[in-house]
């Protein structure tokens, strides 16, 4: 970063330098020593990585986010989540350079009264990405979100509720009601969640052509999302597009559903679950689920618990992490391990089982 000092005709000393982008910056001083000190400070900040572009002075958090977010490549739902997170901060109107760690801590503290720890962490990660971008853009020298303490999440084994096979059977039994037209065929929806591990929106967006009955597999390539008051069909979560290998029992359920609810010769683009030809909305699914679990006497079971039921079944049958990851549509195996790692046998379990086999062999009664 070249710099120079020159005396002007008015007696002032002008110190100037060019930044990495070739833009010139200058200041005038009464004394040469002050001009040199300013240049030295600039040089030191560049060496230490704390240099801030003088033109960024006064840029607020909201202003920086608006400019930065417009340049990002977003998945639609991610952009919605980012906008939502930014709308909740109390420091959006403040200049970036004046935001302190205490501002971020106050924001996090306020969220703990209404939001779950996982939601708070998601919003924090988004806000921190904005600050990190501001550091890289030389808008601020330090990230004020570093080191902020987040509320602890419950351990996965404590927070997770997994229905028993008997409970899932009850839910399937009570999933349909001829007295409530929108619940006709809902048994198939419950079966997709329990025996294929589909998310709520994924199950709602299944089309006839997604089922390959001969190969016993189901393609997941879209989901239903809520935007405002509308339900829209979009691509699945990042990394979630997949093929799920389904059991014969689920194939039979799907075939029977198509024959009964859609009829002979269905088009491949017809929805498995629809009302007046339109894809079933998430709020309709929610109503059907609430009435189903109430009829089964299982008000404590969440629809997402059926996905846990599916995952736990795969693990119990010896499926490895990658197999479970791909079946569930997790973007990374770490997500699978963080969520379900406690369900896999530990080294102690395997050692105990192996030693048990040795003991059984050694203690086997000798034949006469």
């Amino acid at each position: 970063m070249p710099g120079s000092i020159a005396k002007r005709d008015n007696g002032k000393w002008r110190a100037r330098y060019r930044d990495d982008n070739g833009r010139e910056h200058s200041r005038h001083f009464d004394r040469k020593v002050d001009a040199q000190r300013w240049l030295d400070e600039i040089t030191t900040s560049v060496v230490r990585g704390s240099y801030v572009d003088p033109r960024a002075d006064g840029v607020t958090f909201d202003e920086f986010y608006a400019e930065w977010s417009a340049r990002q490549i977003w998945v639609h739902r991610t952009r919605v989540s980012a906008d939502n997170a930014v709308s909740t901060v109390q420091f959006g109107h403040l200049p970036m350079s004046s935001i302190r760690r205490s501002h971020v801590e106050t924001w996090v503290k306020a969220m703990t009264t209404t939001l779950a720890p996982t939601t708070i962490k998601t919003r924090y990660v988004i806000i921190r990405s904005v600050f990190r971008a501001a550091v890289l853009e030389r808008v601020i020298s330090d990230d004020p979100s570093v080191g902020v303490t987040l509320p602890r999440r419950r351990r996965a084994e404590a927070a997770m509720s997994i229905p028993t096979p008997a409970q899932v059977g009850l839910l399937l039994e009570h999933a349909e009601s001829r007295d409530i037209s929108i619940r006709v065929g809902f048994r198939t929806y419950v079966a997709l969640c329990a025996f294929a591990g589909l998310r709520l929106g994924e199950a709602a967006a299944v089309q006839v052509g997604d089922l390959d009955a001969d190969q016993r597999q189901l393609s997941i390539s879209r989901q239903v999302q809520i935007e405002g008051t509308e339900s829209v069909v979009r691509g699945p979560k990042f990394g979630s597009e997949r093929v799920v290998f389904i059991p014969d029992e689920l194939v039979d359920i799907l075939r029977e559903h198509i024959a009964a609810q859609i009829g002979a010769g269905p088009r491949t683009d017809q929805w498995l679950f629809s009302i007046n030809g339109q894809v079933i909305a998430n709020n309709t699914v929610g109503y059907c689920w609430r009435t189903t679990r109430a009829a089964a006497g299982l008000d404590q079971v969440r629809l997402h618990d059926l996905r846990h039921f599916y995952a736990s079944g795969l693990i119990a049958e010896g499926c490895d992490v990658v197999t479970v990851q791909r079946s569930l549509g997790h973007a990374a195996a770490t997500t699978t391990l963080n969520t379900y790692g406690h369900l896999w046998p530990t080294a102690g379990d395997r050692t105990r089982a192996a030693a048990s086999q040795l003991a059984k062999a050694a203690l086997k009664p000798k034949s006469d």
Side-chain angles (χ1 to χ4, degrees):
M1 178 179 291
S4 63
I5 300 175
K7 191 169 186 178
R8 308 294 290 169
D9 293 338
N10 60 3
K12 298 281 187 179
W13 292 91
R14 182 181 68 181
R16 61 180 179 176
Y17 69 92
R18 292 186 182 276
D19 61 24
D20 294 340
N21 296 316
R23 291 188 294 266
E24 182 179 288
H25 304 274
S26 64
R27 283 187 61 179
H28 292 77
F29 298 87
D30 292 330
R31 301 187 306 167
K32 183 178 181 180
V33 65
D34 295 329
Q36 186 63 56
R37 182 181 297 110
W38 181 72
L39 275 183
D40 291 343
E41 290 174 352
I42 295 296
T43 301
T44 300
S45 68
V46 171
V47 172
R48 292 179 176 176
S50 60
Y51 172 74
V52 173
D53 189 338
R55 299 186 311 163
D57 186 39
V59 174
T60 68
F61 181 90
D62 286 342
E63 289 170 344
F64 179 79
Y65 174 73
E67 189 273 333
W68 171 78
S69 61
R71 294 184 279 107
Q72 305 309 302
I73 300 175
W74 300 95
V75 175
H76 175 78
R77 191 64 183 175
T78 304
R79 177 58 191 268
V80 171
S81 297
D83 289 346
N84 185 46
V86 169
S87 70
T88 65
V89 303
Q90 300 98 336
F91 46 79
H93 65 289
L94 295 178
M96 292 289 283
S97 58
S98 68
I99 298 174
R100 300 291 180 260
R101 176 173 169 175
S102 59
H103 291 105
V104 183
E105 289 175 332
T106 301
W107 169 66
V108 170
K109 178 71 173 181
M111 289 190 290
T112 60
T113 61
T114 56
L115 299 177
T118 52
T119 303
I120 294 173
K121 182 178 180 180
T122 297
R123 292 188 178 185
Y124 167 79
V125 169
I126 291 170
I127 297 305
R128 186 176 183 190
S129 69
V130 179
F131 283 123
R132 293 175 70 179
V135 173
L136 293 175
E137 291 289 325
R138 309 284 196 182
V139 174
I140 52 178
S141 59
D142 298 296
D143 175 1
S145 66
V146 172
V148 171
T149 302
L150 300 180
R152 291 183 178 181
R153 293 181 293 174
R154 294 178 65 193
R155 295 175 61 183
E157 54 266 44
M160 184 177 296
S161 176
I162 302 175
T164 65
Q167 288 176 324
V168 173
L170 275 175
L171 291 165
L172 289 166
E173 181 183 340
H174 291 85
E176 295 193 20
S177 172
R178 296 293 167 181
D179 299 326
I180 306 175
S181 61
I182 61 173
R183 279 183 60 197
V184 174
F186 192 63
R187 176 174 179 269
T188 304
Y189 184 98
V190 174
L192 280 173
C193 297
F195 306 140
L198 271 57
R199 300 177 177 92
L200 184 157
E202 293 173 342
V206 173
Q207 293 181 343
V208 172
D210 296 331
L211 172 64
D212 186 337
D214 294 334
Q215 296 298 318
R216 294 176 296 170
Q217 59 189 39
L218 186 70
S219 298
I220 308 302
S221 58
R222 68 190 76 82
Q223 65 175 329
V224 178
Q225 293 182 333
I226 296 177
E227 293 185 9
T229 59
E230 301 292 327
S231 292
V232 297
V233 179
R234 297 194 179 278
K237 294 179 66 175
F238 178 76
S240 292
E241 192 165 0
R242 64 196 185 278
V243 172
V244 181
F245 303 103
I246 58 178
D248 292 333
E249 293 79 4
L250 182 55
V251 172
D252 292 339
I253 292 173
L254 291 169
R255 278 175 164 165
E256 292 170 3
H257 176 91
I258 292 171
Q261 303 300 323
I262 302 176
R267 300 191 315 273
T268 57
D269 63 349
Q270 285 186 268
W271 305 108
L272 247 58
F273 312 102
S274 63
I275 298 177
N276 299 324
Q278 300 298 314
V279 66
I280 189 171
N282 285 352
N283 58 354
T284 301
V285 171
Y287 170 78
C288 291
W289 175 250
R290 289 191 297 273
T291 56
T292 293
R293 68 183 186 183
L298 297 169
D299 289 337
Q300 76 280 8
V301 179
R302 303 175 306 156
L303 183 55
H304 195 74
D305 292 340
L306 297 181
R307 182 168 161 87
H308 297 328
F309 171 78
Y310 173 75
S312 66
L314 297 185
I315 295 170
E317 290 298 319
C319 292
D320 58 57
V321 174
V322 174
T323 298
V324 177
Q325 172 203 346
R326 291 173 177 172
S327 299
L328 293 173
H330 286 157
T334 52
T335 302
T336 309
L337 285 171
N338 289 338
T339 307
Y340 299 108
H342 64 284
L343 298 179
W344 265 282
T346 64
D349 294 328
R350 291 190 293 268
T351 302
R352 191 176 297 110
S356 178
Q357 292 303 314
L358 291 174
K360 289 177 181 178
L363 298 173
K364 182 180 180 180
K366 296 180 180 180
S367 58
D368 295 334

